[in-house]
C-alpha cells in the first residue's frame, strides 16, 4: 500500500508527504540453527511461521525565497520487522550429517530502522566572474538493528546428533535482546561556477563523521 500528498501552501512553497508499507507472511519457513540453508524438516512442527512488515515514509518542505534562494528540508524513515514463531513445541533435535531437524523452533524477532534528516540552501548569483549556484547543506542518519530471542527452542535446549547418535547440547538463556547502531553526520558546500557558456567549474567540500554505538543490552 502506498500514498503521496502534495500541499501547495502558496506560490513557491509546498509540503510533500509520502508513505509506503508492505506485509509478507510465510507460514512454513525451513530454517535450522546449525544448518540454516540445508535443514531437512521431518514435519511441519519443526518449521517457522514468519511475518515480515516494512514501512517507508518521508515529509518534505521546499520554498523559493525571493528570486535567488531555494530552501529544502526532508525527514524520513525506513523500518522493517521480521518475526519468526514456532509451529511446534516438542524437544528440538538437529543432526549434523543427514542433516535432519525435528521438534519445535525458536520464537525470534529482528527490527531494523533507518532515520534520516536533510536540509539545504541554494543561492543563485550573477557576477564574480560568471554565474554561481552556491549550495550548503547538512545530512543526519541513524541506523539501528535489534535482535530479540523471545524464547529459544523448547526448554531452552537444542539437542545435536550425528546419524542419530547424541553428541552435544546447546543451552540458551532467553528472553534476550541485542542492539547495535550507527550515527552518520555530514555537512557540505559547493559552487557550480559557469565561467562561460561552454565552461563550467564545480567546486566543493564535504565533511563526514561516522559513530558506531551500542545501546544498553538486555541479557536475561
Amino acid at each position: 500500500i502506498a500514498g503521496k500528498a502534495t500541499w501547495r501552501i502558496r506560490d513557491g512553497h509546498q509540503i510533500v508527504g509520502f508513505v509506503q508499507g508492505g506485509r509478507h507472511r510465510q507460514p512454513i519457513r525451513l530454517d535450522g540453527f546449525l544448518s540454516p540453508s540445508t535443514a531437512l524438516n521431518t514435519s511441519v512442527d519443526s518449521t517457522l511461521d514468519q511475518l515480515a512488515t516494512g514501512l517507508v515514509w518521508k515529509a518534505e518542505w521546499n520554498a523559493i525565497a525571493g528570486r535567488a534562494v531555494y530552501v529544502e528540508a526532508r525527514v524520513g524513515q525506513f523500518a522493517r520487522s521480521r518475526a519468526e514463531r514456532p509451529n511446534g513445541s516438542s524437544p528440538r533435535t538437529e543432526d549434523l550429517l543427514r542433516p535432519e531437524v525435528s521438534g519445535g523452533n525458536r520464537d525470534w524477532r529482528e527490527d531494523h530502522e533507518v532515520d534520516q534528516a536533510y536540509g539545504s540552501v541554494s543561492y543563485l548569483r550573477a557576477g564574480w566572474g560568471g554565474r554561481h549556484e552556491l549550495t550548503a547543506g547538512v545530512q543526519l542518519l541513524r541506523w539501528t538493528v535489534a535482535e530479540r530471542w523471545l524464547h529459544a527452542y523448547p526448554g531452552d535446549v537444542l539437542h545435536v546428533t550425528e546419524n542419530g547418535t547424541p553428541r552435544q547440547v546447546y543451552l540458551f538463556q532467553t528472553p534476550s535482546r541485542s542492539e547495535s547502531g550507527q550515527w552518520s553526520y555530514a555537512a557540505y558546500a559547493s559552487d557550480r561556477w559557469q565561467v562561460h557558456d561552454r565552461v563550467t567549474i564545480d567546486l566543493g567540500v564535504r565533511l563526514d563523521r561516522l559513530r558506531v554505538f551500542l545501546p544498553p543490552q538486555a541479557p536475561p
Side-chain angles (χ1 to χ4, degrees):
I1 184 172
K4 181 179 180 181
T6 302
W7 177 26
R8 187 175 181 181
I9 304 173
R10 60 178 186 272
D11 289 344
H13 289 254
Q14 70 175 7
I15 294 176
V16 179
F18 172 81
V19 62
Q20 177 176 329
R23 181 180 184 272
H24 172 74
R25 181 166 180 253
Q26 185 176 344
I28 298 178
R29 188 179 173 98
L30 306 177
D31 298 43
F33 183 74
L34 300 177
S35 305
S37 60
T38 59
L40 302 177
N41 290 263
T42 57
S43 70
V44 175
D45 290 345
S46 60
T47 65
L48 290 163
D49 184 353
Q50 175 188 289
L51 177 63
T53 59
L55 176 69
V56 178
W57 67 267
K58 79 161 185 175
E60 175 183 344
W61 170 72
N62 55 67
I64 299 174
R67 301 175 60 183
V69 178
Y70 178 75
V71 182
E72 182 180 14
R74 291 197 302 268
V75 295
Q77 182 187 66
F78 163 72
R80 68 173 176 86
S81 177
R82 191 180 81 190
E84 297 177 355
R85 308 226 23 184
N87 287 322
S89 58
S90 59
R92 178 76 173 187
T93 299
E94 298 195 8
D95 198 286
L96 295 176
L97 298 181
R98 292 177 182 174
E100 290 182 354
V101 299
S102 62
N105 219 308
R106 64 183 180 178
D107 192 348
W108 177 90
R109 180 185 178 99
E110 183 183 63
D111 296 296
H112 182 190
E113 289 188 5
V114 180
D115 305 309
Q116 301 181 34
Y118 167 83
S120 69
V121 178
S122 298
Y123 175 60
L124 303 177
R125 179 180 175 87
W128 305 337
R131 300 178 61 185
H132 296 264
E133 182 181 341
L134 304 169
T135 303
V138 295
Q139 297 175 344
L140 300 175
L141 183 146
R142 185 179 186 269
W143 168 87
T144 59
V145 171
E147 180 184 24
R148 286 189 290 173
W149 285 71
L150 303 175
H151 198 280
Y153 303 100
D156 274 354
V157 178
L158 170 63
H159 303 267
V160 181
T161 61
E162 291 183 359
N163 277 333
T165 303
R167 290 302 184 194
Q168 59 183 331
V169 295
Y170 282 76
L171 302 179
F172 296 83
Q173 288 184 316
T174 58
S176 65
R177 176 185 173 91
S178 175
E179 185 175 356
S180 62
Q182 176 179 293
W183 274 105
S184 174
Y185 314 89
Y188 66 92
S190 65
D191 181 10
R192 184 175 177 83
W193 177 17
Q194 187 175 1
V195 183
H196 187 270
D197 290 341
R198 298 183 179 180
V199 179
T200 301
I201 299 175
D202 288 308
L203 305 171
V205 60
R206 181 183 176 95
L207 302 175
D208 286 281
R209 180 173 186 258
L210 301 177
R211 182 170 65 88
V212 176
F213 67 92
L214 290 174
Q217 308 296 292

